Structure formats: structure tokens, C-alpha cells
Amino acid sequence: MNKIVRCIIIFLMFRIHRKKLLSIGVIITITLTLLQIKTLPYQLTTSNPSLSDTNHIKITPVFRHKQSEAIEVVPVTNLLNSSSQLIDSNTALQEKVKLTQKKSQIDAVKPNISKIPIPYDSERRRKRYLRDIKTLSPNEALIYAKKEIDTVSFDINDHDPELYPPLFRNVSVFKRSYELMELTLKVYIYQEGKRPIFHTPYLRGIYSSEGWFMKFMESSKQFVTRDPQKAHLYYLPYSARQLQHALYVPNSHNIKPLSLFLRDYINKLASKYPFWNRTHGSDHFLVACHDWGPYELKEHNELTKNTIKALCNADTSEGVFVAGKDVSLPETTIQNPKRPLRNMGGKKISQRPILAFFAGGLHGRVRPILLKHWANKDDKMIISGPMSNKQSQTMSYSLHMKSSKYCICPMGFEVNSPRIVEAIYNECVPVIIADNFVPPLNEVLNWSAFSVVVAESDVHKLKEILLGISVKRYRIMQYNVRMLQRHFYWNRTPIKYDMFHMILHSIWVSRINQIQVPQS
């Protein structure tokens, strides 16, 4: 074949003009190339340097049976050298797949898209998308995010594998909103304010949520901006607990000086910057876990009504916390800031002989009634006042929670209780008794999936209500509590979907809900 070609070329060189010879050579080369491609046993593809060599990858299709939920792995041999072997292998595979589909109605399991290399064109488009988002003004970015979130449809199969759908009101909406927060949100933190009231996080005790949030917010490189013109939200970095320690006169029962202090602080910011007056404080937020958090705001009308407030004391009856606008802040007890996740987890269901457990002070309107009806009345209902040292040595408070099916979380002087998060940490289903209380992160979490709410007037029917929950339903709720734990963790370094990010996301949702999308 090659000798014939060479002879033809020599003949043409003498018979044809040199200028025409080049074009004829090109035509012959292309023709021979196409003939070779046609004779290949498989299609020729161009290699992509960004992709790994696939010549030696063993492909294993995976299928899931709808009826039995069993996974069937269908092996496929490596690429074969001869075309006949490849055809035989493909034919056998197709027949096997068709037979299995007829018997069990198989659905192909979707691959993990995050593991697939992004082609150059998609990567270029992604970078352009990120660049375009960053060029939007803060208001334009919020309008865009609002439109994106409003158009998300509910699809239980389209979610992050790190998210457990039953925990959420709508996992698809949450996922998209969270993605947009990570992509878009910028927070400006006012530098005004002297320590320790400002910029001094307190990380220990039952009010530590506000301190941990402040610590991570002020150190965030992802969400914080130094340019207030680029901010979507403005953070008031004070600690309600530190304010109480610094200004409250013990036994005076007068918190007005604390409210006046915050009023003057807001007025100072409003006179120095245009941002507060521009929105009357509606794009500003604060995080306060102390019981007095709502009452410290009452001397400033706009601070009380307009600002987004993340409060542990999420009491809708006081006229300060507004459900749907404000955020219910989880109240967490941190004993050791160096080991915030110490002693997490609980026992198996079979090792939880106690039906319901509560031990604590008798302050407030609910707890005395609780003890009146259930203290020392039932071996399966361990309801008591504060545990003595002798009782704690025999069986600790935490071990009681780990050994109980339900953990009673009644309100004290205020509606909030650290027992809710303690129950989650110990994998005990929380039973909330507080009529006007909004549960933590209620705008995204479906609390009916992992907790029980009992009206204050039904305390005398507590055992009847708990026994009325089927074993199957309890097992589901207890499993959901275990899956929920990661969203209530204060990690020493924040990670995706943990407590810090969940609180910030809820604040972001509140800001998005304020946005009015133009009809055009």
C-alpha cells in the first residue's frame, strides 16, 4: 500500500505543476486518515489533559431495586483490544440489564457529581458566573438570591448527601439558600464599642452561644468585609451577658441602664454612618442569648422593631421577638471551651429504661406544676428538683439523659431552656413545655420530626401523651435527633452546616425575606 502511494506521488510530481501538488497532497492525507478511523474497533476521541487516563478504569454500573432497596453491581470488563470481543461484552451486558429491569424495575443510582472533573467549558462558565455575581450591588445580589430561592422546587432526591431531608421543612430550598449565602453574603462589623461589652466573646456556660457566634463571625474571612458599601448585613458585636456583668447593679432589679447604653450606642452609629438611617436598622442584626436580651433593646424603637434579632429568649408574647423575622438562637451549655464537643452521644434505645427525665430548679410557672403531678409518682418518670451531690455521684445528670427516652424541657423564668440542646447532644428526644416559645432555627428545621411539644395546660397528661407515641414513631424521632446533632455543634473551627453556619443562614434568610422583587 505504501509503495503504491509513493509511486503515485513521484508520478504526480513530474506530471502536475508544483503549486497544485500541495493541495492534492492535503486531500490524499485527509482521505487516508478517514479510512484509518473507519477501520478502528472503537471511536477515536481527543484526549483532555485535565482528565485522568481512562484506558485502565474498570467501569462498574450500579443499580438499585425499588422493591427491596438492594444494590446490584453489574461488572463490566476493561476495554478490549478486538472489536469482536467488545461487541460480545456489550451485547451480554445489555441483555443482562434488560432482564433485570423487567424483573425489578431498576433505577440507576446517580453518580457523585462532585467527584467528576468539570470540563473546561463548564469551569469557564462557573468562573464567569462567580465573577458576575460579585459585580452585582448588594441590593441586586439580594434580589437575585430571592428569585433563585423562590423558584426552587421540592425534590427529596436532589440534596447534599451531608443533609438529612426529614430534618428540614424543605431540604431543596435550604440547600439552594445555603449555597447562595456562601456565594454572596458579606457582613460588615462595626469596630466601635469598648471591651468587654463589645468584641469580647464569652465561651462558657449556658449563654455561650452569643460568644461563640461572635468569635467565629469576627474571625471569618469568607463572610466579613471591611467595605461597608459592599455589605448585605451589618453586625452589632455586643454581648448581652457581658453587658449585664459590666453595668447591672446586683439586686437592683433595674435593667434600664443597660437599655439606655444600647440606645446611645445605636444613636452614635446612626450619626457616624449612613447605613442605619438608610434602612432604619432592618439590615442590621444582633445575637444575644442572655434572658435579658429582649429587654435590653426597649429604649430604642427601631432597634426593637426593625433589627434582625437572634435571641435565645424567643418569646412571642413579650412584643420584642417577631416570629418569621427574628431568629430563635439555640441555648447551649459549654463547660470547657477547649473541648466544646466533650461527652456527646447517648446509649442505644434498648439501654434507655427511663421514659422521661427532668431535674432542675423550680423557678417559673411550669416547673412547680410538673413536680406536683410527677415527682415520685412513677418509677419510669424521674422528675425532681435539683440533683444532690449524692445523687450525682450515683448517676450523673448527663447519664440520666443518655438513659432516658424523652428529656423534659420546661421553661423557667423565660421560655428558653438549655435542656433542649443538651437533650440533642445526649440523643434524647426533647419534650418542650413552653406555650409562647419558638424553637431554635425554626425557619428551616421541622421540629415535629425530632421533638414533642406539650401545652402547659397538659402537664398532668404528660405520661399519657408520651405513651401514646408508637414505638415506630419514637425510633424515627430518636434517629432524627442523632442526625440533627451536627447542626448544633460548636466546632473549634467552623465547618459546613454546623451551629455557626446554621445561625448565620437563618439571619440571611430573614434578610432575604425583606426583599421585594420588582414585578418587571
Side-chain angles (χ1 to χ4, degrees):
M1 180 70 180
N2 291 334
K3 291 181 179 181
I4 296 174
V5 172
R6 283 198 297 269
C7 292
I8 293 173
I9 293 174
I10 293 171
F11 174 79
L12 291 174
M13 287 176 63
F14 287 98
R15 292 290 181 178
I16 302 175
H17 194 274
R18 291 183 179 180
K19 293 183 179 180
K20 296 181 180 180
L21 185 62
L22 179 61
S23 60
I24 294 174
V26 171
I27 294 172
I28 293 174
T29 302
I30 293 174
T31 304
L32 292 174
T33 303
L34 292 175
L35 288 172
Q36 289 181 356
I37 291 174
K38 288 293 184 178
T39 60
L40 288 176
Y42 50 84
Q43 187 177 2
L44 181 65
T45 58
T46 56
S47 62
N48 189 338
S50 65
L51 299 177
S52 59
D53 184 11
T54 58
N55 290 337
H56 303 289
I57 294 177
K58 187 174 182 180
I59 304 173
T60 307
V62 182
F63 300 92
R64 184 182 302 274
H65 292 259
K66 285 186 177 180
Q67 297 175 353
S68 63
E69 291 300 315
I71 295 177
E72 178 184 357
V73 180
V74 182
V76 181
T77 58
N78 292 331
L79 292 175
L80 303 177
N81 293 327
S82 67
S83 58
S84 61
Q85 287 178 316
L86 180 63
I87 293 171
D88 293 339
S89 175
N90 288 338
T91 303
L93 175 62
Q94 291 174 1
E95 291 177 355
K96 186 170 185 179
V97 171
K98 288 180 180 179
L99 181 62
T100 312
Q101 286 176 334
K102 291 180 180 179
K103 290 182 178 180
S104 307
Q105 297 180 349
I106 299 172
D107 286 333
V109 175
K110 296 180 179 180
N112 187 351
I113 297 177
S114 62
K115 301 297 184 182
I116 299 177
I118 301 175
Y120 175 76
D121 288 344
S122 298
E123 177 67 15
R124 183 171 60 184
R125 290 174 184 172
R126 187 183 72 84
K127 289 181 178 179
R128 185 192 306 165
Y129 173 73
L130 296 175
R131 184 176 66 249
D132 291 344
I133 288 290
K134 292 179 180 179
T135 60
L136 297 176
S137 68
N139 191 58
E140 290 171 339
L142 291 172
I143 291 175
Y144 170 76
K146 174 78 170 178
K147 290 180 178 179
E148 284 285 297
I149 295 170
D150 288 346
T151 57
V152 173
S153 60
F154 182 80
D155 185 356
I156 199 168
N157 293 318
D158 181 22
H159 71 280
D160 192 316
E162 297 182 32
L163 298 174
Y164 186 57
L167 304 179
F168 296 89
R169 294 178 179 273
N170 187 325
V171 71
S172 299
V173 172
F174 170 77
K175 176 177 177 288
R176 184 59 180 143
S177 177
Y178 190 98
E179 289 172 346
L180 289 166
M181 178 191 75
E182 288 189 317
L183 180 66
T184 307
L185 179 61
K186 293 298 177 185
V187 177
Y188 179 76
I189 302 176
Y190 289 106
Q191 298 305 307
E192 285 74 10
K194 295 182 179 180
R195 296 175 180 272
I197 297 175
F198 298 90
H199 311 289
T200 308
Y202 193 82
L203 307 178
R204 190 187 302 270
I206 64 173
Y207 302 131
S208 58
S209 288
E210 63 182 31
W212 282 87
F213 182 88
M214 181 190 296
K215 168 185 168 67
F216 293 141
M217 189 75 260
E218 293 202 311
S219 62
S220 174
K221 295 181 180 179
Q222 178 181 3
F223 297 110
V224 173
T225 178
R226 294 184 179 181
D227 184 356
Q229 299 290 349
K230 296 181 179 180
H232 307 91
L233 284 165
Y234 299 82
Y235 177 39
L236 306 173
Y238 84 98
S239 165
R241 183 195 179 281
Q242 299 284 42
L243 179 63
Q244 178 251 333
H245 272 267
L247 299 182
Y248 178 69
V249 178
N251 301 319
S252 66
H253 305 288
N254 181 18
I255 63 173
K256 188 172 182 178
L258 285 66
S259 299
L260 293 174
F261 177 86
L262 282 182
R263 181 200 66 183
D264 295 341
Y265 173 70
I266 297 300
N267 289 337
K268 179 181 178 181
L269 296 180
S271 63
K272 184 176 181 179
Y273 300 96
F275 312 113
W276 182 277
N277 296 327
R278 186 176 62 189
T279 63
H280 302 284
S282 62
D283 55 359
H284 289 58
F285 73 94
L286 58 91
V287 178
C289 193
H290 195 278
D291 287 353
W292 295 350
Y295 314 122
E296 296 170 351
L297 314 174
K298 288 192 172 182
E299 290 298 321
H300 196 291
N301 188 51
E302 290 181 343
L303 181 63
T304 304
K305 293 185 177 180
N306 300 338
T307 304
I308 300 171
K309 301 175 288 294
L311 303 173
C312 287
N313 190 359
D315 189 344
T316 57
S317 67
E318 295 291 340
V320 178
F321 184 91
V322 180
K325 179 181 78 70
D326 297 325
V327 176
S328 180
L329 183 67
E331 186 170 354
T332 53
T333 303
I334 301 296
Q335 302 293 350
N336 186 354
K338 294 183 179 180
R339 298 178 62 189
L341 301 182
R342 181 184 179 186
N343 202 28
M344 299 293 177
K347 295 183 177 182
K348 299 178 181 178
I349 293 177
S350 59
Q351 298 174 343
R352 293 176 179 266
I354 304 171
L355 176 64
F357 167 70
F358 169 80
L362 303 183
H363 51 281
R365 62 176 182 263
V366 174
R367 298 183 186 188
I369 299 175
L370 179 66
L371 262 70
K372 176 184 176 182
H373 286 283
W374 297 109
N376 301 319
K377 298 292 179 64
D378 194 304
D379 293 339
K380 299 292 184 180
M381 303 273 289
I382 299 182
I383 308 295
S384 68
M387 296 180 66
S388 64
N389 292 333
K390 184 178 180 180
Q391 288 175 317
S392 299
Q393 291 175 359
T394 304
M395 188 173 181
S396 67
Y397 179 87
S398 176
L399 189 56
H400 272 87
M401 278 195 159
K402 294 178 188 296
S403 304
S404 301
K405 291 182 173 64
Y406 298 95
C407 290
I408 312 302
C409 308
M411 63 175 292
F413 286 129
E414 306 296 343
V415 293
N416 48 302
S417 171
R419 286 172 176 79
I420 296 174
V421 178
E422 289 174 356
I424 294 171
Y425 285 168
N426 290 285
E427 300 176 4
C428 179
V429 176
V431 179
I432 302 172
I433 309 177
D435 285 353
N436 302 308
F437 178 59
V438 177
L441 311 177
N442 188 59
E443 53 282 325
V444 295
L445 295 179
N446 176 23
W447 277 83
S448 64
F450 48 81
S451 70
V452 179
V453 177
V454 175
E456 295 176 18
S457 59
D458 291 335
V459 170
H460 65 285
K461 297 191 296 184
L462 181 59
K463 184 178 180 180
E464 178 185 347
I465 293 171
L466 298 181
L467 290 178
I469 299 172
S470 67
V471 174
K472 180 180 179 181
R473 174 63 182 162
Y474 167 74
R475 288 182 177 276
I476 292 173
M477 286 195 296
Q478 202 270 342
Y479 179 77
N480 290 346
V481 168
R482 290 164 53 195
M483 301 300 290
L484 180 71
Q485 283 181 324
R486 60 171 299 166
H487 302 303
F488 282 80
Y489 283 162
W490 287 114
N491 297 287
R492 294 188 64 181
T493 301
I495 62 175
K496 193 172 185 177
Y497 301 134
D498 69 356
M499 180 82 87
F500 167 71
H501 288 95
M502 293 296 289
I503 294 170
L504 186 61
H505 174 264
S506 289
I507 296 170
W508 155 260
V509 169
S510 180
R511 180 72 181 106
I512 290 294
N513 289 339
Q514 297 176 10
I515 300 300
Q516 299 295 325
V517 178
Q519 294 297 324
S520 58

